[in-house]
């Protein structure tokens, strides 16, 4: 029956090409939307996921990593008072304005970390070391911000919020969801900015690592009792809260989901329409097969095989186009995640969509009476 399905599609080349073109378009649309969505969520949670902390302590009712309020850093002592805590480390997230060579300004997201311990430091450096920010007004910028900030030459001087900082390193592929360039500096300097929201004695986060990570739920409950004015979350909970904020509360992620769903519907509709038209055109042949003793199940296999062949060919071509254009999309500053797992999962979804569309043709065959065909 698979061979009969292929022969039928080959015989109707025009329809087959239209079907494949529809699936290629659907695949590109779905992969683009889902890939960009996952890339943006990856950027929004990069710093959380790349830290070795089990628990994050933030200001009360925080909604996402990017919008932290300050609270006393002395609360770190309460965290360290628990015997199960291996270490606790404060981390600052704040904002500033970087003066550009052309006289303009660019808002930047500032991460202040302890360079002696490296908790919260950039994890991928292409020039310099993260620890180079220690001991003065030194900073690290990310290569992806070069289009907005200009050339990033280690040793160059920059004006940040009315203070002069020297660029001592360049990181790679560290972005924020807000698209503001990410700037790393020492924790002490982040507290000492003349124009800043974080003052000495305040912090944005306290990160904690446990001696036994399997007890994190138990320790989180204990810390919530100790720190009633803070939100205490496991790393996974903080990632999900940030993703939920950008996806549902802002509606940004939902728009990507709806566009991807639209792509699936378009691909499914084209496949369904084409296969249905093929089925109607070959009703006499199918009726003949049934009169010769072919079972409905065998004809169903033929129709479903047509859908799967169309899905496989169209998805392969669409995926190839996306993989070839991925570098250009990312070079334009758009984060995109196209993992093998994602590609495999979407292939299954596309196939399921095509099979569902083919089901309407199957229903037509189910009620087909061979006698009626010959009478027609």
């Amino acid at each position: 029956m698979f061979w009969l399905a292929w022969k039928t599609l080959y015989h109707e080349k025009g329809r087959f090409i239209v079907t494949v073109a529809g699936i290629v378009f659907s695949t590109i649309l779905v992969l683009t939307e889902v890939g960009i969505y996952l890339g943006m969520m990856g950027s929004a949670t990069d710093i959380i996921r790349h830290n070795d902390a089990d628990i994050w302590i933030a200001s009360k009712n925080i909604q996402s990593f990017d919008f932290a309020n300050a609270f006393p850093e002395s609360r770190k002592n309460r965290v360290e008072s628990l015997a199960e805590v291996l270490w606790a480390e404060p981390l600052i997230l704040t904002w500033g304005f970087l003066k550009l060579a052309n006289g303009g300004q660019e808002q930047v997201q500032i991460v202040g970390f302890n360079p002696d311990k490296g908790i919260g430091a950039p994890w991928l450096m292409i020039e310099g070391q993260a620890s180079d920010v220690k001991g003065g007004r030194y900073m690290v910028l990310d290569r992806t911000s070069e289009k907005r900030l200009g050339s990033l030459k280690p040793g160059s001087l920059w004006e940040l919020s009315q203070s002069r900082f020297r660029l001592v390193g360049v990181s790679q592929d560290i972005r924020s969801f807000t698209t503001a360039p990410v700037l790393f500096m020492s924790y002490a300097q982040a507290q000492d900015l003349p124009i800043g929201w974080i003052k000495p004695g305040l912090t944005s986060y306290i990160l904690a690592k446990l001696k036994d990570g399997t007890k994190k739920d138990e320790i989180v409950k204990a810390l919530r009792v100790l720190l009633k004015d803070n939100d205490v979350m496991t790393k996974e909970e903080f990632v999900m809260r940030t993703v939920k904020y950008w996806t549902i509360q802002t509606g940004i992620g939902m728009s990507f989901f709806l566009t991807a769903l639209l792509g699936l519907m378009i691909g499914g509709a084209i496949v369904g329409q084409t296969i249905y038209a093929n089925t109607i055109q070959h009703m006499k042949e199918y009726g003949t097969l049934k009169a010769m003793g072919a079972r409905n199940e065998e004809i169903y296999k033929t129709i479903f095989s047509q859908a799967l062949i169309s899905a496989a060919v169209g998805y392969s071509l669409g995926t190839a186009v996306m993989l070839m254009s991925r570098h250009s999309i990312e070079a334009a500053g758009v984060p995109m995640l196209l993992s093998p797992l994602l590609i495999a999962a979407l292939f299954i979804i596309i196939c399921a969509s095509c099979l569902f569309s083919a089901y309407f043709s199957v229903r037509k065959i189910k009620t087909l009476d061979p006698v009626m065909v010959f009478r027609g």
Side-chain angles (χ1 to χ4, degrees), residues 243-288:
V243 170
K244 181 181 175 185
Y245 173 76
W246 289 116
T247 302
I248 299 174
Q249 291 175 250
T250 66
I252 295 174
M254 195 57 69
S255 64
F256 281 93
F257 171 77
L258 291 176
T259 309
L261 184 63
L262 179 64
L264 276 177
M265 291 173 65
I266 291 173
I270 292 174
V271 172
Q273 190 276 334
T274 308
I275 291 179
Y276 189 80
N278 269 338
T279 304
I280 296 298
Q281 185 176 346
H282 294 95
M283 285 295 276
K284 191 170 184 179
E285 287 83 350
Y286 288 132
T288 304

Side-chain angles (χ1 to χ4, degrees), residues 5-26:
W6 172 250
K7 291 282 285 183
T8 305
L9 291 173
Y10 185 76
H11 182 70
E12 300 290 344
K13 295 186 186 70
R15 284 182 181 163
F16 182 55
I17 291 172
V18 170
T19 305
V20 169
I23 296 175
V24 168
F25 172 76
S26 172

Side-chain angles (χ1 to χ4, degrees), residues 103-119:
Q105 287 190 327
E106 187 72 45
Q107 189 171 28
V108 293
Q109 189 177 55
I110 300 169
V111 178
F113 67 98
N114 183 347
D116 288 327
K117 297 187 177 178
I119 309 299

Side-chain angles (χ1 to χ4, degrees), residues 198-250:
I198 306 293
K199 300 300 179 187
L202 298 178
T203 189
S204 309
Y205 297 105
I206 294 174
L207 285 63
K209 178 72 177 176
L210 304 180
K211 294 174 183 174
D212 183 357
T214 60
K215 296 182 177 178
K216 58 186 174 185
D217 291 334
E218 175 187 333
I219 305 305
V220 164
K221 288 180 183 176
L223 285 171
R224 283 173 181 164
V225 174
L226 280 176
L227 302 167
K228 293 185 183 299
D229 294 328
N230 290 89
D231 278 358
V232 182
M233 301 161 282
T234 63
K235 177 194 285 189
E236 294 76 17
E237 287 172 341
F238 196 23
V239 167
M240 286 309 298
R241 184 179 293 196
T242 299
V243 170
K244 181 181 175 185
Y245 173 76
W246 289 116
T247 302
I248 299 174
Q249 291 175 250
T250 66

